[in-house]
Amino acid sequence: MRGAGWLFPMLMLLGACQRAADVPPAADVVVAGPPAAAAAAPAGTSAVGDADALPLLAAVAADAPDPGAVVRTYAGHLLRRDFDQADASWMVAPPPGRADDAALRSLRDVRDLRISTEPPQARDQQRPTHLIEVPVRVRVLTATTTLRYSGWYRLVPDPQRNGWLIQAARLQPVLD
């Protein structure tokens, strides 16, 4: 009977050690040189599965670009130094020199830019959510060095609910 007392906790432990469902891979985009544009995912696609994407992305039209694609397209505009188009990706464009991602805005002589986006995460309790966060990792190759950044972009639906706009960003340098 004493041996049966530890049997139940062991069964619970074995049940908790089951393999979790596969996590979808992060979306990676490589932008080579200033003339190239950031590749956008096809409209209406998401880095998360479609069944999971419906509640998370339901605040905008079904044919709206994926939030990760919005961030990657924005970075492509920055790389080409097309600040008018880049600012159009924001709900309220940041003042010069005050952007939360000022490190990307100030880049010069970029040879290669790689942006990896993770699946978006809800950052509010509304259903459907009206604030999502897209985690990013950025690698920049310039003529003299390689820079790495990690952070996120927060997006909100545009007023017409046709797509996502950047509300805030936070990029931190990563030391090797």
Side-chain angles (χ1 to χ4, degrees):
M1 187 70 168
R2 276 190 272 179
W6 60 270
L7 182 62
F8 182 71
M10 290 301 286
L11 288 174
M12 294 300 292
L13 181 63
L14 287 174
C17 293
Q18 293 179 355
R19 182 173 177 243
D22 290 337
V23 176
D28 289 340
V29 170
V30 176
V31 180
T45 62
S46 174
V48 293
D50 286 338
D52 294 335
L54 287 176
L56 182 64
L57 304 178
V60 298
D63 61 344
D66 177 78
V70 171
V71 172
R72 293 186 301 270
T73 301
Y74 165 73
H77 293 307
L78 289 181
L79 186 61
R80 291 188 307 277
R81 311 212 43 85
D82 186 357
F83 295 116
D84 290 336
Q85 284 292 326
D87 289 346
S89 298
W90 284 78
M91 183 68 137
V92 176
R98 302 285 305 210
D100 297 331
D101 61 349
L104 287 184
R105 287 179 171 262
S106 65
L107 290 173
R108 304 253 191 252
D109 301 323
V110 175
R111 292 189 178 173
D112 186 50
L113 175 70
R114 180 183 185 101
I115 298 182
S116 300
T117 60
E118 301 280 326
Q121 304 167 356
R123 289 295 175 222
D124 65 4
Q125 300 300 317
Q126 296 181 18
R127 291 290 176 229
T129 186
H130 287 83
L131 179 64
I132 59 172
E133 184 175 285
V134 179
V136 298
R137 287 184 315 274
V138 180
R139 182 181 58 86
V140 180
L141 179 64
T142 66
T144 58
T145 189
T146 299
L147 305 168
R148 297 181 196 284
Y149 300 95
S150 179
W152 47 258
Y153 283 86
R154 288 194 178 151
L155 288 82
V156 294
D158 71 6
Q160 294 81 26
R161 305 247 187 260
N162 293 328
W164 296 99
L165 294 173
I166 300 170
Q167 181 206 34
R170 167 88 30 109
L171 289 179
Q172 302 287 330
V174 175
L175 301 176
D176 289 335

